[in-house]
Amino acid sequence: MKTKVKELRTAAGMTQQQLAERVHVSARTIISIEKEQYSPSLMLAYRMAEVFGVTVEELCCLRENRDLEDRKYGDLP
């Protein structure tokens, strides 16, 4: 799943380790999210959104991801 985690983290001047510590996960988890290899749980997405002062919808690009999925399954032209 595409997210804005890397974009928001770098704009905030945070390292992956610093973000990981703030949201109680490993740096490896943050790396995997940023590489789109892992989708964060709802609680983890909520914690990260709070850190960056954005909504979960914005952090996780929910509208964009939904549209991509809909196209994949033929729900949208």
Side-chain angles (χ1 to χ4, degrees):
M1 173 171 65
K2 178 182 174 170
T3 70
K4 291 185 177 182
V5 173
K6 184 174 184 177
E7 174 186 331
L8 293 167
R9 179 184 58 75
T10 56
M14 296 176 73
T15 66
Q16 291 165 329
Q17 183 63 44
Q18 288 169 327
L19 176 58
E21 289 170 3
R22 294 218 24 212
V23 297
H24 313 296
V25 296
S26 70
R28 184 77 217 138
T29 298
I30 301 301
I31 292 166
S32 295
I33 291 168
E34 290 182 356
K35 289 183 174 184
E36 299 179 21
Q37 296 171 339
Y38 175 75
S39 295
S41 68
L42 179 57
M43 185 55 67
L44 178 53
Y46 180 74
R47 288 177 191 267
M48 289 188 292
E50 279 191 316
V51 167
F52 299 124
V54 298
T55 65
V56 171
E57 291 87 351
E58 183 179 353
L59 177 85
C60 293
C61 308
L62 290 182
R63 181 168 294 151
E64 182 180 341
N65 283 313
R66 183 203 58 204
D67 291 348
L68 288 170
E69 189 175 278
D70 286 350
R71 279 194 287 283
K72 179 179 176 181
Y73 294 106
D75 293 344
L76 290 177

